[in-house]
Amino acid sequence: MSERIGRLDGKVAVITGAARGQGEAEARLFVAEGAQVVLTDVLADDLRAVAGEFGSDAIAVEHDVVDEAAWDRVVSAAIDAFGAIDILVNNAAIHWIRPLLDERAGDVRRILDVNLIGPMLGMQRVVAPMRDRGRGSIVNISSYAGLSGLYGHTAYGASKWALRGITKTAAVELGVWGIRVNSIHPGPIETAMLPVGRSNEPGRYGDVPLGRTGQPGEVAELVAFLASDASSYLTGAELAVDGGMAAGRVPRGVRG
C-alpha cells in the first residue's frame, strides 16, 4: 500500500463496524495516517482489543447502529475524547444470501434497519459537529450489490441500493456546509462477510477482470482518500473497488 504521509493529520473519525474486516482495516490505516479514531461495533470484546492497540489515538464505544441513543453516546464520546468529528465511515452492515421467493418481511426490515437506517442516523448526528468545523467527510460503504442485481441478494441489495441513493441526496443537502458525502461499492473482499467457500481459490473469481478477491486494506485506501483533503472537490460520487466487476465479467475460458 501507499507510503504513510499523514494524510489524516489533525482529523477525528468515527468508524462503525470497526471490530474486524474492512472496518478494522480502515481504523488501522486512519491511525497510521494521523487520525484520532472512535471505533464502534456490537462486538465489544473484539472492538476493545483492536482499539487497545492504538493507545491514546483511539477509543472503543460499543454501539448498535440502529439505536438512536447509542449514536448520541458515540458523538458525545468523540467530542469528549478528541474535541471534534471530521469523518464518519458508515461501515457496519449485515448480510445473507437468500432468493426473493424465500425472503421474509421481518428480516428485510432488520437488514434495512442496520444497513440503511443506521447510516442515516449517523449522518444526522454528525452534521452539527462537522458544521462547527466548517468541513466534513462522510463515507458510506455500499456494495457491488448496490450497483447491479445479484442472485440471492434481495434484502442486502435493496439496502445497499438505498444507501447509494441516500448518499446522493445527502451530498446535495450537506454540501452547503462543506460536508462531503460519497459511497464506496466493494466487490468480493476477503472478510467474514464473504460467502462460505468463496475464498481466493484458483479460478474461483476468474470472471473478475483482476482475477481475484480484494483485501480489506485495498478498500481502506479508498476510504482514506475520500476522508482526506486530497478529495476535497469530490462529493456525491459512487466509487467501485471491485477488481473491475462493475465494468464487466471475463467470459469463462478466456483467462489462461
Side-chain angles (χ1 to χ4, degrees):
M1 295 302 171
S2 62
E3 181 184 357
R4 304 299 176 241
I5 56 175
R7 289 176 288 176
L8 302 177
D9 282 348
K11 295 187 185 297
V12 178
V14 174
I15 302 176
T16 69
R20 63 185 184 183
Q22 289 178 188
E24 178 185 351
E26 291 152 12
R28 293 185 181 280
L29 180 57
F30 274 40
V31 171
E33 290 290 359
Q36 295 173 303
V37 183
V38 180
L39 291 75
T40 91
D41 209 302
V42 294
L43 303 173
D45 292 340
D46 292 343
L47 184 70
R48 283 191 288 268
V50 174
E53 298 181 30
F54 305 137
S56 61
D57 288 325
I59 61 171
V61 180
E62 185 176 357
H63 173 216
D64 183 345
V65 296
V66 306
D67 184 339
E68 296 193 42
W71 270 112
D72 293 332
R73 291 193 293 272
V74 167
V75 171
S76 294
I79 300 299
D80 290 345
F82 304 125
I85 298 176
D86 301 291
I87 301 157
L88 169 64
V89 183
N90 278 313
N91 176 80
I94 57 176
H95 170 265
W96 58 76
I97 295 175
R98 188 182 298 157
L100 169 64
L101 296 183
D102 296 332
E103 198 52 89
R104 297 182 285 272
D107 289 341
V108 175
R109 293 187 185 100
R110 171 61 180 164
I111 207 169
L112 289 172
D113 275 346
V114 176
N115 295 3
L116 175 65
I117 304 302
M120 183 195 75
L121 294 173
M123 288 190 285
Q124 290 174 332
R125 294 312 193 276
V126 300
V127 166
M130 287 183 176
R131 286 179 65 181
D132 289 344
R133 297 278 267 185
R135 68 186 187 198
S137 176
I138 298 172
V139 183
N140 291 326
I141 309 299
S142 180
S143 169
Y144 175 75
L147 295 173
S148 180
L150 287 181
Y151 182 90
H153 284 71
T154 295
Y156 183 76
S159 71
K160 293 303 188 177
W161 277 87
L163 185 58
R164 175 187 177 190
I166 201 171
T167 298
K168 299 284 192 185
T169 303
V172 173
E173 294 183 356
L174 305 184
V176 296
W177 297 310
I179 300 171
R180 300 182 294 108
V181 191
N182 296 286
S183 62
I184 289 178
H185 299 259
I189 306 298
E190 283 286 340
T191 69
M193 193 176 286
L194 198 66
V196 175
R198 298 188 67 189
S199 62
N200 216 12
E201 303 166 8
R204 175 69 71 175
Y205 285 93
D207 63 341
V208 176
L210 292 186
R212 63 175 177 85
T213 56
Q215 296 300 310
E218 293 176 297
V219 178
E221 288 285 347
L222 181 54
V223 177
F225 166 70
L226 291 175
S228 76
D229 293 338
S231 61
S232 57
Y233 199 56
L234 187 61
T235 194
E238 49 195 40
L239 304 176
V241 53
D242 62 359
M245 286 177 63
R249 302 294 187 95
V250 177
R252 181 173 299 179
V254 169
R255 195 181 300 278

